[in-house]
């Protein structure tokens, strides 16, 4: 008796599902685990006479060495350009990166510093942020006196700039200092920002200038 083709096929050819299950049950599967190369967070500092293309040159070298740029700051002052850049890079490539930056960025003095933060990929939590601004006649030590009040109250300078500008009325030249100070968690139990505000006001009165200090905690860093 000859079976019809369809019946014969079902009778002698196992299903693909059965073949796979049989194969898997009799096969030992090993997996290979690959570990990522050890990473390091460094801070690049580059300074020199300003020219077009400085940032492009630095970031080209960082990219070629497999680095990833995080936060950065740049400033032009007195014809000189300063750049600070946080970079995440494989630990084994740090030396090569430093060598390339030292010789590959024309006219700039560039160095690599190891980040002092234990976990630099995560910024420390800011518990307090205060904007300050001083306006008045310039006198010796004015910046030191202002920043000393902030330091005594455990505040660090996040950013600051100083400038001379002409007064709105008359030809008097005003000296201005403005910036942002921050305190990281945990705050001291006796921390009171209004006391700092009052201390700065008293300093301003003694220097015959205006000093403002405002609580901006929770606002964007670059506000």
């Amino acid at each position: 008796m000859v079976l019809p083709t369809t019946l014969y096929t079902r009778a002698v050819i196992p299903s693909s599902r059965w073949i796979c299950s049989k194969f898997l049950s009799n096969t030992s599967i090993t997996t290979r685990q690959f570990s990522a190369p050890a990473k390091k967070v460094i801070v690049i500092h580059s300074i020199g006479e300003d020219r077009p293309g400085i940032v492009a040159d630095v970031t080209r070298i960082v990219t070629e060495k497999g680095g990833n740029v995080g936060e950065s700051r740049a400033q032009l002052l007195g014809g000189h350009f300063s750049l600070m850049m946080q970079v995440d890079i494989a630990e084994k490539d740090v030396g090569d990166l430093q060598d390339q930056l030292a010789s590959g960025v024309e006219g700039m003095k560039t160095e690599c510093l190891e980040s002092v933060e234990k976990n630099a990929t995560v910024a420390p939590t800011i518990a307090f942020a205060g904007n300050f601004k001083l306006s008045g006649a310039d006198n010796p030590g004015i910046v030191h006196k202002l920043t000393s009040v902030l330091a005594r109250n455990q505040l660090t300078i996040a950013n600051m700039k100083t400038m001379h500008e002409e007064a709105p009325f008359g030809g008097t030249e005003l000296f201005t200092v403005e910036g942002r100070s921050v305190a990281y968690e945990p705050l001291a139990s006796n921390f009171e920002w209004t006391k700092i505000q009052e201390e700065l006001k008293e300093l301003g009165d003694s220097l015959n200038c205006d000093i403002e200090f405002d609580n901006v905690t929770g606002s964007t860093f670059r506000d």
Side-chain angles (χ1 to χ4, degrees):
M1 177 180 178
V2 179
L3 294 174
T5 303
T6 54
L7 291 177
Y8 178 77
T9 303
R10 288 178 185 173
V12 299
I13 301 178
S15 67
S16 59
R17 183 179 296 178
W18 182 87
I19 294 173
C20 289
S21 62
K22 195 71 176 174
F23 172 79
L24 291 174
S25 65
N26 292 296
T27 303
S28 176
I29 300 177
T30 59
T31 58
R32 207 180 211 180
Q33 295 183 344
F34 296 91
S35 58
K39 292 282 188 178
K40 179 168 277 191
V41 179
I42 62 172
V43 174
I44 295 171
H45 180 219
S46 187
I47 186 169
E49 189 173 340
D50 187 38
R51 64 170 175 80
I54 293 173
V55 178
D57 287 347
V58 173
T59 52
R60 172 183 56 79
I61 294 172
V62 170
T63 301
E64 288 175 352
K65 294 301 176 183
N68 183 53
V69 176
E71 293 189 31
S72 64
R73 304 283 185 274
Q75 183 69 49
L76 178 63
L77 182 66
H80 285 76
F81 182 78
S82 175
L83 171 68
M84 290 188 72
M85 183 178 293
Q86 186 171 284
V87 171
D88 182 31
I89 188 171
E91 189 170 0
K92 65 181 180 62
D93 295 325
V94 172
D96 286 344
L97 174 64
Q98 190 161 7
D99 291 341
Q100 285 294 314
L101 288 172
S103 60
V105 186
E106 181 185 353
M108 301 293 286
K109 180 181 179 181
T110 306
E111 59 182 343
C112 297
L113 309 170
E114 186 172 348
S115 176
V116 297
E117 296 176 12
K118 293 181 179 178
N119 186 4
T121 58
V122 179
T125 302
I126 295 175
F128 171 84
N131 283 354
F132 57 87
K133 182 175 181 179
L134 178 152
S135 298
D138 194 8
N139 64 72
I142 193 170
V143 175
H144 169 68
K145 292 172 183 177
L146 169 63
T147 55
S148 292
V149 172
L150 300 175
R152 278 198 304 272
N153 289 278
Q154 303 302 307
L155 292 173
T156 186
I157 305 295
N159 58 64
M160 184 182 77
K161 63 180 179 179
T162 61
M163 68 196 93
H164 289 90
E165 56 187 3
E166 189 174 329
F169 305 101
T172 307
E173 190 177 58
L174 293 178
F175 182 69
T176 302
V177 184
E178 59 181 274
R180 175 168 294 189
S181 59
V182 298
Y184 299 112
E185 290 186 349
L187 280 178
S189 59
N190 61 345
F191 182 87
E192 291 185 38
W193 78 270
T194 52
K195 287 185 177 180
I196 305 172
Q197 185 183 52
E198 184 60 31
E199 189 174 351
L200 288 171
K201 183 179 182 303
E202 292 175 1
L203 174 64
D205 292 341
S206 70
L207 296 173
N208 194 28
C209 62
D210 296 323
I211 302 180
E212 302 172 10
F213 187 68
D214 300 312
N215 183 352
V216 293
T217 307
S219 62
T220 305
F221 182 81
R222 295 175 180 82
D223 285 353

